[in-house]
Amino acid sequence: MSKHTVKTIQEMRNNNDIITMLTAYDYPTAKKINDAGIDMILVGDSCAMVVHGHPNTLTATMEMMVLHCAAVARACDRTMVVADMPFGSFQYSIEDTMKNAARFVTEAKVDAVKFEATHNHIAKTKAVVEMGIACVGHVGLHPQAVGALGGLKAQGRDVASARKVVSEALALQDAGVFAIIFEAVPTKLSDYVTRKLDIPTISIGGGPKCSGQLLVTPDVLGMYDNFTPSFAKQYANVGQVMTDAFTQYAKEVKSGAFPDDTYSYGMSDKVLESVIKEFGPVS
Ligand code: KIV
């Protein structure tokens, strides 16, 4: 199958074919996701937490993101790759935003960029769309606003917050984004907006009524337990598999069981004899 485009993603939504999306930050994981037939990858700024060990996403930089995005993009011949615009990359000016979005497509070769765009950022989003770069919006919980929100909390549960989610989603659609991520919002709200919009909606903690579903891959694999949102389902315990493998390796190295002949290079006695002749025996 050829690579997903904004057109094929829109067709999936139109045909009620649920879109699958996961995060990835490195080549081998992205390759497995691509080969598993997942439709979209987000190289999220969550990498600041789940890869770099920071307490929140605010420390993700353009340099960090471009590097991770380039590795992921090299692995994907089918899955569409979306770069997350990190904090500070789109908050200052339209010009900065355009330059940073361009870096993702020219240096990292991703297929699209995503913004945690509020009403303040609609003009910037539109400017990037008008450059010809495919854009994804993100409403509901904005982890980059963790300080102002007082934590990573569900959004859209009271009237003001629900209206904000709906009006931002409508404004983003008008600005030309081709899809919108709904993070940590009630199912009734994402269902309402999904039916109101003409473009795909993708849920991460937004319930089952969206056009697609997204999870953070280290949550899916049981590889990150510093913070696990209530909507994150774990599908495997790769973290435990890794711990078991590392423990077994250490045991075998300490006991001398590894490496045995299978994992060592051989050499003829003649070669060793000539070395000893030249350099003398070990005293
Ligand atoms: O950085 C990320 O992984 C994200 C998702 C949580 C939507 O922005």
Side-chain angles (χ1 to χ4, degrees), residues 23 25 42-47 57 84 114 116 138 143 181 183 204 214 216:
T23 67
Y25 317 95
L42 172 67
V43 188
D45 62 359
S46 48
C47 80
T57 62
D84 206 1
K114 166 178 98 60
E116 291 186 15
H138 179 167
I181 288 170
E183 181 166 356
I204 175 159
L214 163 65
V216 169

Side-chain angles (χ1 to χ4, degrees), residues 119-138:
H119 282 295
N120 288 340
H121 311 299
I122 297 299
K124 294 171 197 143
T125 308
K126 197 158 186 250
V128 175
V129 170
E130 282 170 2
M131 290 171 79
I133 298 176
C135 288
V136 175
H138 179 167

